[in-house]
Amino acid sequence: MSWDKKNQVYQQMRKFDIKKISLFSKLQNKTVGIGFLFAIMAAAFSALPNVIPKSLMEEQVAEASIVPNPMMLVFVIYIVNSLLFSPFRKSDRKSANIKKGRTTLILLILLGIAESAGTLSYTLGLQETSATNASILVNSETIFAILLGIMIFKEKLSKQEMLPFILIVIGSIIIPVGVDMNHNNWELSNFMIGDLFIIMSGFFYCLDTFIAKKLSDSIKTRHIVHIMSCTGAIMALTLMLLFQIPFDINLEQLSIISIVGYLGIGVTMMFFVIALRIIGAVRTVLIYATTTVFSIIYSFFILSENITILNIASAGCVLVGLFVLRNRISAD
């Protein structure tokens, strides 16, 4: 083969490689874009249960209207998810290790108890406080996660992590609770009790995260949501029977809370896991932190709540703290 022919073949192969690299780069960029879209949708859907239940619990316009109990709403949310995410067929795989299977089942049940306790505490708090406040206060989950890490796992915060941690504490607890106490002349009110329930839900959601970390990656998200929802539904039903809470809910309320529960818990978890696998944990968690922003927007447009400068400052402190803290963790 002459030199000219060799050169032509080389140039053609080079062009083919360049096109191949360009195509791969475009596909990679599209995949990353899809991952970001799933993370944003997870945040947007996750904010729905933070706001919509309040509009149902305050529905007292019509004479014959029914105001459902918070526990009833939680029961509906979990019973709907348990039905919609139930496996349609049994898996053909046989567990090689029965002990491991039992451990996984126990962890899933504990996950369901922690998740449902968090949802119930949040819904009870939402009945008393504003949805804007609740969406900010629930970020106390991060504070509890760090404190448990320090107390149980003997982890330490570095000097660079102290400032974002303080910002999260100020934004998620000190500002909203301080403002509520100031409005009520520093006395304990129903609004304050609502805030405390929201903070309590942050603790349960924190336990939820710690338990979820112990679960194997091989477990399908559908199965996690199904068992978690079954446990939540049983827990809510038991409490309703124990405290003799009536099953009062009309068809419209049932439809709304079913859709909200399905999107806000089941679909959110599915989208979150998909985003996690496409763009990684740090990017997904940082985007998912915008749930607070979506909750405030929904509170303004759906509930017509006033958004004050202190609300914006509080949410800003939380988001900046989360962004800096999780960037530091990813860098380490």
Side-chain angles (χ1 to χ4, degrees):
M1 188 183 288
S2 65
W3 172 253
D4 290 337
K5 285 184 178 179
K6 283 183 179 178
N7 190 37
Q8 283 177 356
V9 171
Y10 172 73
Q11 291 296 334
Q12 285 176 354
M13 288 178 69
R14 192 179 174 189
K15 284 179 182 178
F16 177 74
D17 287 339
I18 290 168
K19 285 180 180 178
K20 196 174 178 182
I21 292 166
S22 176
L23 181 64
F24 178 74
S25 179
K26 285 179 181 177
L27 285 171
Q28 196 174 31
N29 288 337
K30 282 184 179 179
T31 305
V32 171
I34 291 167
F36 275 104
L37 180 63
F38 273 114
I40 291 167
M41 287 174 70
F45 287 148
S46 179
L48 291 173
N50 295 353
V51 177
I52 305 297
K54 187 168 183 66
S55 65
L56 298 178
M57 290 185 289
E58 291 183 343
E59 192 179 349
Q60 296 174 325
V61 180
E63 290 181 6
S65 68
I66 298 168
V67 181
N69 187 279
M71 213 170 288
M72 180 65 198
L73 296 180
V74 173
F75 173 69
V76 171
I77 286 171
Y78 283 116
I79 200 71
V80 167
N81 275 290
S82 66
L83 292 171
L84 293 175
F85 283 92
S86 59
F88 293 101
R89 61 186 179 86
K90 291 183 179 179
S91 177
D92 295 331
R93 296 179 186 175
K94 290 185 178 180
S95 177
N97 193 334
I98 297 172
K99 189 177 180 182
K100 186 179 177 182
R102 285 177 181 172
T103 304
T104 301
L105 183 62
I106 290 167
L107 284 172
L108 285 170
I109 291 170
L110 288 173
L111 181 71
I113 291 169
E115 175 74 22
S116 54
T119 306
L120 181 58
S121 299
Y122 188 93
T123 311
L124 286 168
L126 187 63
Q127 192 177 29
E128 302 298 339
T129 189
S130 67
T132 304
N133 245 23
S135 62
I136 296 168
L137 285 163
V138 77
N139 286 287
S140 58
E141 174 191 350
T142 306
I143 298 168
F144 288 119
I146 293 169
L147 291 176
L148 284 177
I150 293 169
M151 291 187 294
I152 298 172
F153 301 104
K154 307 300 179 184
E155 294 175 359
K156 292 182 179 179
L157 282 176
S158 65
K159 290 181 180 178
Q160 291 88 350
E161 292 167 351
M162 282 302 295
L163 180 60
F165 176 69
I166 292 168
L167 281 174
I168 295 169
V169 173
I170 292 170
S172 64
I173 294 179
I174 294 175
I175 293 177
V177 173
V179 169
D180 287 347
M181 288 182 73
N182 185 40
H183 285 167
N184 291 284
N185 298 319
W186 304 98
E187 293 178 0
L188 193 66
S189 63
N190 287 343
F191 215 77
M192 272 294 300
I193 292 169
D195 289 350
L196 293 174
F197 268 115
I198 301 296
I199 293 169
M200 192 190 300
S201 74
F203 174 72
F204 286 122
Y205 289 142
C206 163
L207 293 179
D208 186 359
T209 306
F210 274 104
I211 296 166
K213 285 180 181 178
K214 299 290 182 183
L215 291 170
S216 171
D217 293 335
S218 62
I219 304 170
K220 290 181 180 179
T221 310
R222 174 186 285 274
H223 292 158
I224 294 172
V225 177
H226 175 63
I227 296 174
M228 180 190 76
S229 300
C230 285
T231 307
I234 292 167
M235 182 178 167
L237 179 61
T238 304
L239 290 171
M240 286 180 72
L241 294 173
L242 186 65
F243 292 103
Q244 297 182 349
I245 294 169
F247 291 79
D248 287 342
I249 190 166
N250 62 38
L251 187 60
E252 185 183 354
Q253 293 166 341
L254 181 65
S255 304
I256 292 169
I257 201 65
S258 297
I259 294 167
V260 168
Y262 176 65
L263 293 175
I265 293 177
V267 174
T268 292
M269 185 172 279
M270 295 285 284
F271 283 178
F272 185 86
V273 172
I274 292 169
L276 207 65
R277 289 171 181 170
I278 296 173
I279 60 175
V282 176
R283 284 178 175 178
T284 303
V285 171
L286 285 173
I287 296 168
Y288 189 71
T290 58
T291 297
T292 302
V293 178
F294 282 108
S295 296
I296 292 172
I297 292 168
Y298 295 161
S299 301
F300 178 75
F301 285 105
I302 297 171
L303 302 176
S304 301
E305 290 187 357
N306 293 323
I307 310 300
T308 65
I309 294 172
L310 284 172
N311 291 144
I312 295 168
S314 186
C317 284
V318 170
L319 290 173
V320 170
L322 287 172
F323 184 80
V324 175
L325 187 62
R326 279 160 182 168
N327 265 350
R328 285 291 311 166
I329 292 167
S330 65
D332 293 340

XYZ file of all heavy atoms in Angstrom, residues 13-92:
628
model
N -10.075 6.888 9.465
C -10.204 6.279 10.800
C -10.228 7.343 11.885
O -10.966 7.238 12.864
C -9.036 5.318 11.050
C -9.132 4.040 10.235
S -7.720 2.959 10.501
C -7.995 2.452 12.188
N -9.430 8.383 11.693
C -9.385 9.478 12.669
C -10.727 10.211 12.724
O -11.234 10.525 13.806
C -8.271 10.446 12.298
C -7.958 11.453 13.397
C -6.843 12.361 12.981
N -6.660 13.405 13.967
C -5.870 14.462 13.809
N -5.180 14.613 12.702
N -5.765 15.358 14.761
N -11.305 10.479 11.538
C -12.616 11.139 11.487
C -13.683 10.293 12.160
O -14.554 10.794 12.871
C -13.017 11.389 10.027
C -12.282 12.553 9.390
C -12.714 12.715 7.947
C -11.946 13.846 7.268
N -12.330 13.964 5.836
N -13.618 8.963 11.927
C -14.582 8.038 12.532
C -14.464 8.060 14.060
O -15.465 8.087 14.767
C -14.337 6.625 12.000
C -15.241 5.597 12.612
C -16.587 5.528 12.245
C -14.761 4.704 13.574
C -17.427 4.582 12.823
C -15.599 3.770 14.143
C -16.940 3.704 13.760
N -13.211 8.071 14.569
C -12.982 8.115 16.025
C -13.499 9.410 16.630
O -14.091 9.414 17.711
C -11.484 7.968 16.340
C -11.001 6.543 16.124
O -11.844 5.639 16.139
O -9.774 6.343 15.934
N -13.263 10.528 15.900
C -13.735 11.838 16.392
C -15.258 11.857 16.470
O -15.850 12.318 17.442
C -13.218 12.985 15.493
C -11.700 13.141 15.687
C -13.928 14.302 15.815
C -11.049 14.032 14.658
N -15.914 11.330 15.421
C -17.383 11.270 15.399
C -17.903 10.393 16.537
O -18.902 10.694 17.180
C -17.873 10.717 14.064
C -17.771 11.723 12.922
C -18.266 11.106 11.636
C -18.173 12.098 10.475
N -18.611 11.485 9.194
N -17.182 9.267 16.761
C -17.572 8.327 17.812
C -17.489 8.982 19.193
O -18.397 8.862 20.026
C -16.639 7.108 17.756
C -17.151 5.902 18.518
C -16.222 4.720 18.275
C -16.686 3.517 19.076
N -15.770 2.375 18.879
N -16.378 9.711 19.429
C -16.184 10.415 20.700
C -17.234 11.504 20.877
O -17.799 11.686 21.949
C -14.758 11.021 20.782
C -13.723 9.890 20.876
C -14.619 11.955 21.982
C -12.308 10.349 20.628
N -17.514 12.232 19.772
C -18.510 13.310 19.807
C -19.899 12.766 20.129
O -20.631 13.339 20.937
C -18.524 14.026 18.465
O -19.526 15.008 18.446
N -20.246 11.624 19.497
C -21.543 10.999 19.735
C -21.652 10.525 21.180
O -22.677 10.729 21.840
C -21.735 9.821 18.774
C -23.070 9.051 18.869
C -24.228 9.969 18.505
C -23.050 7.833 17.959
N -20.567 9.910 21.689
C -20.552 9.425 23.076
C -20.712 10.577 24.056
O -21.430 10.484 25.040
C -19.233 8.680 23.350
C -19.100 8.197 24.762
C -19.825 7.107 25.209
C -18.272 8.860 25.664
C -19.718 6.667 26.517
C -18.156 8.429 26.967
C -18.877 7.325 27.394
N -20.031 11.712 23.747
C -20.109 12.896 24.603
C -21.521 13.458 24.646
O -22.026 13.839 25.706
C -19.129 13.963 24.100
O -19.208 15.111 24.894
N -22.180 13.485 23.467
C -23.558 13.982 23.394
C -24.511 13.086 24.182
O -25.382 13.570 24.910
C -24.017 14.071 21.941
C -23.415 15.252 21.181
C -23.899 15.257 19.749
C -23.287 16.423 18.967
N -23.697 16.401 17.546
N -24.335 11.760 24.040
C -25.171 10.810 24.778
C -24.971 10.942 26.283
O -25.918 10.891 27.060
C -24.852 9.380 24.339
C -25.384 8.952 22.968
C -24.801 7.602 22.574
C -26.905 8.881 22.964
N -23.693 11.149 26.675
C -23.373 11.310 28.093
C -24.017 12.565 28.655
O -24.577 12.557 29.755
C -21.853 11.370 28.268
C -21.399 11.149 29.710
C -19.897 11.073 29.825
O -19.171 11.702 29.062
N -19.411 10.307 30.788
N -23.954 13.673 27.872
C -24.568 14.934 28.312
C -26.081 14.801 28.443
O -26.681 15.332 29.375
C -24.231 16.055 27.314
C -22.781 16.491 27.404
O -22.136 16.305 28.444
N -22.255 17.037 26.327
N -26.697 14.067 27.485
C -28.145 13.845 27.543
C -28.525 13.019 28.762
O -29.512 13.293 29.437
C -28.623 13.141 26.267
C -28.750 14.072 25.068
C -29.307 13.333 23.871
C -29.455 14.272 22.672
N -29.978 13.546 21.490
N -27.708 11.993 29.061
C -27.962 11.130 30.217
C -27.878 11.921 31.515
O -28.720 11.774 32.399
C -26.942 9.967 30.254
O -26.998 9.272 29.020
C -27.259 9.003 31.387
N -26.849 12.782 31.623
C -26.691 13.632 32.809
C -27.888 14.572 32.939
O -28.418 14.786 34.032
C -25.366 14.426 32.749
C -25.306 15.475 33.853
C -24.172 13.484 32.868
N -28.325 15.127 31.805
C -29.491 16.016 31.801
C -30.741 15.315 32.289
O -31.526 15.882 33.052
N -30.916 14.053 31.868
C -32.060 13.248 32.317
C -31.969 13.004 33.817
O -32.968 13.060 34.541
C -32.128 11.912 31.541
C -32.508 12.176 30.086
C -33.139 10.959 32.177
C -32.312 10.991 29.159
N -30.744 12.742 34.310
C -30.517 12.539 35.749
C -30.904 13.764 36.558
O -31.571 13.649 37.593
N -30.508 14.949 36.078
C -30.871 16.212 36.745
C -32.383 16.410 36.731
O -32.970 16.859 37.715
C -30.185 17.398 36.051
C -28.784 17.651 36.530
C -27.696 17.287 35.772
C -28.557 18.263 37.757
C -26.402 17.513 36.218
C -27.276 18.498 38.227
C -26.189 18.120 37.450
N -33.016 16.050 35.609
C -34.473 16.188 35.489
C -35.190 15.307 36.511
O -36.129 15.756 37.176
C -34.920 15.816 34.069
C -36.429 15.913 33.781
C -36.925 17.346 33.924
C -36.740 15.391 32.380
N -34.743 14.066 36.664
C -35.337 13.145 37.644
C -35.159 13.673 39.070
O -36.067 13.572 39.893
C -34.732 11.747 37.516
C -35.416 10.882 36.497
C -34.766 10.476 35.343
C -36.726 10.467 36.693
C -35.402 9.675 34.399
C -37.381 9.671 35.761
C -36.712 9.272 34.603
N -33.971 14.242 39.361
C -33.700 14.789 40.703
C -34.604 15.983 41.001
O -35.149 16.106 42.110
C -32.236 15.202 40.817
N -34.798 16.863 40.013
C -35.667 18.041 40.185
C -37.124 17.607 40.357
O -37.849 18.142 41.209
C -35.523 19.004 38.981
C -34.133 19.660 38.996
C -36.600 20.086 39.012
C -33.771 20.381 37.714
N -37.551 16.615 39.547
C -38.926 16.110 39.660
C -39.156 15.443 41.018
O -40.235 15.574 41.607
C -39.217 15.127 38.525
C -39.381 15.799 37.176
S -39.560 14.610 35.818
C -41.185 13.944 36.143
N -38.128 14.742 41.512
C -38.229 14.126 42.847
C -38.429 15.197 43.915
O -39.254 15.038 44.823
C -36.972 13.312 43.146
N -37.684 16.303 43.800
C -37.804 17.416 44.757
C -39.190 18.065 44.662
O -39.813 18.375 45.686
C -36.714 18.442 44.501
N -39.668 18.259 43.417
C -40.976 18.900 43.204
C -42.114 18.045 43.746
O -43.037 18.553 44.405
C -41.187 19.169 41.711
N -42.066 16.732 43.492
C -43.106 15.818 43.981
C -43.027 15.646 45.498
O -44.044 15.535 46.177
C -43.000 14.451 43.299
C -43.452 14.440 41.868
C -42.867 13.585 40.940
C -44.469 15.271 41.438
C -43.291 13.570 39.615
C -44.904 15.272 40.117
C -44.308 14.413 39.198
N -41.795 15.627 46.024
C -41.597 15.453 47.470
C -42.205 16.592 48.272
O -42.582 16.416 49.431
C -40.099 15.353 47.773
O -39.875 15.201 49.140
N -42.304 17.771 47.664
C -42.860 18.943 48.354
C -44.385 18.909 48.457
O -44.966 19.616 49.284
C -42.425 20.216 47.632
N -45.044 18.085 47.645
C -46.516 18.041 47.645
C -47.106 17.635 49.001
O -48.008 18.311 49.497
C -47.018 17.102 46.540
C -46.816 17.571 45.095
C -47.194 16.468 44.124
C -47.639 18.828 44.814
N -46.620 16.530 49.643
C -47.184 16.164 50.957
C -46.846 17.173 52.056
O -47.433 17.119 53.141
C -46.520 14.809 51.268
C -45.997 14.309 49.974
C -45.651 15.524 49.187
N -45.913 18.091 51.783
C -45.561 19.128 52.762
C -46.600 20.245 52.813
O -46.612 21.034 53.757
C -44.203 19.747 52.423
C -43.065 18.764 52.542
O -43.263 17.642 52.999
N -41.884 19.159 52.129
N -47.460 20.311 51.781
C -48.366 21.460 51.652
C -49.839 21.045 51.516
O -50.703 21.547 52.248
C -47.957 22.324 50.431
C -48.933 23.481 50.235
C -46.528 22.841 50.596
N -50.130 20.131 50.573
C -51.520 19.787 50.224
C -52.355 19.308 51.417
O -53.510 19.731 51.565
C -51.562 18.742 49.086
C -50.780 19.232 47.860
C -53.003 18.414 48.708
C -51.326 20.485 47.217
N -51.827 18.426 52.310
C -52.662 17.971 53.439
C -53.209 19.105 54.298
O -54.303 18.983 54.853
C -51.694 17.089 54.250
C -50.727 16.571 53.247
C -50.529 17.705 52.287
N -52.470 20.203 54.383
C -52.946 21.332 55.203
C -54.232 21.915 54.635
O -55.147 22.271 55.397
C -51.866 22.421 55.307
C -52.262 23.529 56.281
C -51.126 24.437 56.613
C -51.530 25.485 57.637
N -51.856 24.883 58.951
N -54.312 21.994 53.312
C -55.529 22.534 52.687
C -56.734 21.620 52.951
O -57.868 22.099 53.052
C -55.324 22.698 51.175
O -55.137 21.441 50.557
N -56.500 20.318 53.083
C -57.592 19.376 53.368
C -58.024 19.452 54.830
O -59.202 19.351 55.142
C -57.149 17.941 53.042
C -56.775 17.647 51.589
C -56.318 16.208 51.447
C -57.953 17.918 50.660
N -57.048 19.645 55.728
C -57.363 19.693 57.163
C -58.011 21.011 57.571
O -58.571 21.127 58.649
C -56.083 19.460 57.985
C -55.575 18.041 57.903
S -54.153 17.700 58.966
C -52.851 18.605 58.143
N -57.951 22.010 56.697
C -58.563 23.315 57.003
C -59.815 23.550 56.189
O -60.344 24.645 56.159
C -57.559 24.451 56.728
C -56.406 24.469 57.715
C -55.477 25.642 57.480
O -55.540 26.228 56.378
O -54.685 25.959 58.370
N -60.291 22.526 55.493
C -61.454 22.662 54.626
C -62.735 22.690 55.447
O -63.308 21.670 55.794
C -61.492 21.513 53.613
C -62.506 21.738 52.501
C -62.492 20.589 51.507
O -61.581 19.749 51.569
O -63.415 20.543 50.694
N -63.178 23.895 55.756
C -64.386 24.054 56.579
C -65.379 25.046 55.957
O -66.144 25.700 56.638
C -63.992 24.543 57.977
C -63.146 23.536 58.737
C -62.638 24.094 60.049
O -62.342 25.270 60.157
N -62.532 23.243 61.055
N -65.310 25.122 54.629
C -66.141 26.105 53.918
C -67.592 25.633 53.831
O -68.517 26.319 54.224
C -65.576 26.365 52.500
C -66.441 27.378 51.763
C -64.137 26.849 52.592
N -67.772 24.408 53.309
C -69.140 23.886 53.142
C -69.678 23.357 54.467
O -68.935 22.913 55.317
C -69.131 22.768 52.099
N -70.974 23.399 54.599
C -71.600 22.954 55.854
C -71.400 21.450 56.075
O -71.196 20.989 57.189
C -73.098 23.278 55.817
C -73.387 24.763 55.906
C -74.880 25.035 55.885
O -75.654 24.064 55.920
O -75.270 26.210 55.829
N -71.478 20.696 54.984
C -71.374 19.239 55.104
C -69.953 18.729 54.881
O -69.745 17.550 54.711
C -72.314 18.581 54.103
N -69.017 19.649 54.838
C -67.629 19.228 54.561
C -67.062 18.447 55.738
O -67.384 18.697 56.888
C -66.741 20.445 54.273
O -66.599 21.217 55.443
N -66.188 17.495 55.404
C -65.539 16.660 56.422
C -64.085 17.096 56.545
O -63.386 17.248 55.547
C -65.614 15.169 56.016
C -67.074 14.720 55.925
C -64.835 14.288 56.988
C -67.256 13.365 55.266
N -63.629 17.293 57.769
C -62.229 17.622 58.013
C -61.537 16.355 58.492
O -61.750 15.911 59.622
C -62.079 18.750 59.066
C -60.604 19.075 59.279
C -62.852 19.984 58.634
N -60.733 15.716 57.639
C -60.112 14.453 58.025
C -59.032 14.633 59.081
O -58.338 15.644 59.117
C -59.503 13.941 56.705
C -59.312 15.158 55.873
C -60.387 16.126 56.272
N -58.910 13.651 59.949
C -57.865 13.642 60.966
C -56.509 13.401 60.296
O -56.428 12.657 59.316
C -58.162 12.523 61.972
C -57.229 12.552 63.167
O -56.101 12.078 63.099
N -57.708 13.105 64.276
N -55.421 14.018 60.793
C -54.079 13.803 60.206
C -53.709 12.329 60.098
O -53.087 11.912 59.120
C -53.157 14.529 61.179
C -54.002 15.577 61.801
C -55.368 15.008 61.881
N -54.112 11.530 61.106
C -53.783 10.105 61.095
C -54.512 9.381 59.964
O -53.979 8.445 59.365
C -54.125 9.480 62.441
C -53.182 8.356 62.832
S -53.416 7.843 64.534
C -52.724 9.223 65.425
N -55.724 9.841 59.660
C -56.491 9.267 58.561
C -55.790 9.527 57.228
O -55.709 8.650 56.361
C -57.905 9.873 58.539
C -58.800 9.357 57.428
S -59.157 7.594 57.616
C -59.716 7.179 55.982
N -55.248 10.734 57.065
C -54.527 11.094 55.844
C -53.272 10.239 55.679
O -52.967 9.768 54.576
C -54.148 12.579 55.875
C -55.298 13.590 55.871
C -54.755 15.009 55.914
C -56.190 13.409 54.648
N -52.549 10.035 56.764
C -51.330 9.203 56.734
C -51.687 7.768 56.365
O -50.991 7.127 55.563
C -50.586 9.258 58.092
C -49.419 8.277 58.117
C -50.079 10.667 58.365
N -52.795 7.257 56.933
C -53.252 5.897 56.626
C -53.555 5.752 55.137
O -53.137 4.780 54.497
C -54.488 5.562 57.462
C -55.130 4.253 57.089
C -54.489 3.045 57.359
C -56.371 4.228 56.465
C -55.077 1.834 57.009
C -56.962 3.022 56.114
C -56.313 1.819 56.387
N -54.259 6.717 54.571
C -54.607 6.679 53.141
C -53.346 6.715 52.276
O -53.217 5.948 51.308
C -55.549 7.848 52.772
C -55.732 7.938 51.259
C -56.892 7.695 53.454
N -52.412 7.587 52.624
C -51.165 7.715 51.864
C -50.439 6.371 51.781
O -50.027 5.928 50.700
C -50.232 8.775 52.501
C -50.758 10.186 52.213
C -48.798 8.643 51.974
C -50.037 11.291 52.976
N -50.324 5.697 52.917
C -49.558 4.448 52.946
C -50.318 3.259 52.375
O -49.716 2.380 51.754
C -49.072 4.154 54.368
C -47.890 5.016 54.739
C -47.976 5.953 55.765
C -46.688 4.918 54.043
C -46.901 6.756 56.092
C -45.606 5.718 54.360
C -45.713 6.639 55.389
O -44.641 7.446 55.695
N -51.625 3.227 52.557
C -52.398 2.109 52.007
C -52.405 2.176 50.479
O -52.319 1.151 49.782
C -53.848 2.066 52.575
C -54.457 0.663 52.399
C -54.739 3.092 51.941
C -53.883 -0.387 53.284
N -52.466 3.391 49.928
C -52.433 3.570 48.466
C -51.079 3.149 47.908
O -50.991 2.419 46.913
C -52.751 5.042 48.092
C -52.414 5.313 46.626
C -54.211 5.348 48.361
N -49.993 3.582 48.558
C -48.650 3.216 48.097
C -48.397 1.716 48.227
O -47.738 1.123 47.371
C -47.590 3.992 48.880
C -47.333 5.360 48.285
O -46.776 5.498 47.211
N -47.766 6.392 48.993
N -48.920 1.115 49.296
C -48.717 -0.333 49.482
C -49.410 -1.136 48.380
O -48.906 -2.173 47.942
C -49.228 -0.775 50.853
O -50.636 -0.623 50.947
N -50.561 -0.628 47.902
C -51.296 -1.314 46.832
C -50.663 -1.073 45.465
O -50.491 -2.000 44.676
C -52.758 -0.844 46.810
C -53.625 -1.249 48.003
C -54.966 -0.538 47.960
C -53.814 -2.762 48.050
N -50.282 0.172 45.192
C -49.729 0.526 43.881
C -48.317 0.003 43.665
O -47.900 -0.216 42.530
C -49.756 2.048 43.688
C -51.147 2.677 43.574
C -51.052 4.190 43.499
C -51.888 2.143 42.345
N -47.575 -0.191 44.752
C -46.199 -0.686 44.614
C -46.062 -2.153 45.016
O -44.951 -2.637 45.207
C -45.246 0.173 45.455
C -44.945 1.495 44.821
C -45.707 2.608 45.123
C -43.917 1.625 43.909
C -45.448 3.831 44.535
C -43.649 2.845 43.305
C -44.409 3.953 43.617
N -47.191 -2.857 45.122
C -47.116 -4.274 45.475
C -46.585 -5.061 44.282
O -46.933 -4.776 43.130
C -48.496 -4.798 45.874
O -49.404 -4.625 44.804
N -45.714 -6.062 44.519
C -45.181 -6.870 43.414
C -46.284 -7.714 42.786
O -47.088 -8.323 43.484
C -44.122 -7.751 44.096
C -44.478 -7.758 45.534
C -45.175 -6.461 45.828
N -46.331 -7.716 41.440
C -47.400 -8.442 40.739
C -47.119 -9.938 40.639
O -48.003 -10.732 40.422
C -47.589 -7.872 39.330
C -48.125 -6.478 39.356
C -47.281 -5.394 39.153
C -49.456 -6.234 39.621
C -47.776 -4.099 39.182
C -49.960 -4.940 39.658
C -49.108 -3.876 39.436
N -45.851 -10.289 40.757
C -45.511 -11.716 40.718
C -44.404 -11.993 41.703
O -43.612 -11.120 42.039
C -45.084 -12.139 39.303
C -43.853 -11.399 38.795
C -43.578 -11.772 37.343
N -42.419 -11.052 36.839
C -41.165 -11.453 36.982
N -40.903 -12.564 37.647
N -40.164 -10.761 36.473
N -44.336 -13.231 42.154
C -43.297 -13.616 43.099
C -41.973 -13.765 42.379
O -41.917 -14.228 41.239
C -43.671 -14.934 43.774
C -44.851 -14.810 44.722
C -45.123 -16.124 45.416
C -46.301 -15.996 46.385
N -46.594 -17.265 47.062
N -40.917 -13.385 43.059
C -39.586 -13.507 42.480
C -39.188 -14.980 42.401
O -39.472 -15.780 43.292
C -38.577 -12.739 43.344
O -37.295 -12.912 42.838
N -38.505 -15.346 41.297
C -38.050 -16.723 41.108
C -36.787 -17.018 41.911
O -36.396 -18.170 42.074
C -37.766 -16.987 39.621
C -39.034 -16.888 38.794
O -40.106 -17.170 39.360
O -38.948 -16.520 37.614
